Amino acid sequence: MFNKKRYVIISLLVWVIFFLIELFEHITILGSSYSKHSEFMRIGGADVIVLNIIGGLIFTFLFCYIFVKGYEGKGFMEGVRFGIIISGLIWLPKLIFEYANFNYPGSWPLIWFIFGVIATVLGGVISAIIYRPIKKA
């Protein structure tokens, strides 16, 4: 049976993990490159931050919902498998589309892909470790 409390907990925890990975990716790894190519960026401000938070929350709550609905109770490797499948669904096509349609500097799409896969697999693992359905009485 669907465990709403655990679903909300894993969704928020996965969002925090995704957020921290994205901060590292975009500030530490790509920050200087972004500064050199500001024509591709929106000017930072509260609205940009709020939109990123909202987008991240939508993604993680849906990500965790899909995990919970397909939950099989197989542990750690279920999370790894889920993360890889979602990566193939989202990050691989995104990498191909970005390469085909945009002339981004350097290896931005590849770095986005790598960090997307890392975050998605970690999110799957966290979901698999923490989520437990409510046992039927």
Side-chain angles (χ1 to χ4, degrees):
M1 181 173 250
F2 187 76
N3 187 333
K4 289 179 190 173
K5 181 179 176 183
R6 290 244 179 165
Y7 163 68
V8 170
I9 290 169
I10 63 170
S11 295
L12 293 173
L13 184 57
V14 168
W15 177 79
V16 168
I17 297 301
F18 284 2
F19 185 78
L20 293 174
I21 289 171
E22 292 227 347
L23 280 178
F24 178 74
E25 171 190 359
H26 295 294
I27 293 172
T28 305
I29 303 296
L30 291 169
S32 63
S33 181
Y34 288 165
S35 295
K36 293 175 189 170
H37 301 283
S38 60
E39 69 273 13
F40 292 107
M41 303 296 155
R42 292 193 183 274
I43 296 174
D47 58 331
V48 173
I49 294 168
V50 169
L51 288 173
N52 277 289
I53 290 170
I54 290 169
L57 286 168
I58 290 168
F59 179 83
T60 55
F61 272 81
L62 289 172
F63 174 88
C64 292
Y65 183 79
I66 295 167
F67 176 83
V68 166
K69 285 301 186 178
Y71 179 78
E72 297 175 349
K74 294 184 178 179
F76 178 87
M77 288 309 293
E78 179 179 4
V80 171
R81 182 188 68 194
F82 179 75
I84 291 169
I85 290 168
I86 294 297
S87 293
L89 175 68
I90 296 172
W91 307 123
L92 185 57
K94 185 175 183 282
L95 170 68
I96 294 166
F97 294 143
E98 287 169 344
Y99 181 78
N101 295 298
F102 301 104
N103 190 21
Y104 288 125
S107 56
W108 289 6
L110 181 60
I111 293 170
W112 296 334
F113 170 76
I114 291 167
F115 278 92
V117 171
I118 291 168
T120 306
V121 170
L122 275 173
V125 168
I126 290 167
S127 299
I129 291 171
I130 296 175
Y131 185 76
R132 298 289 176 269
I134 296 172
K135 293 181 181 177
K136 295 180 182 177

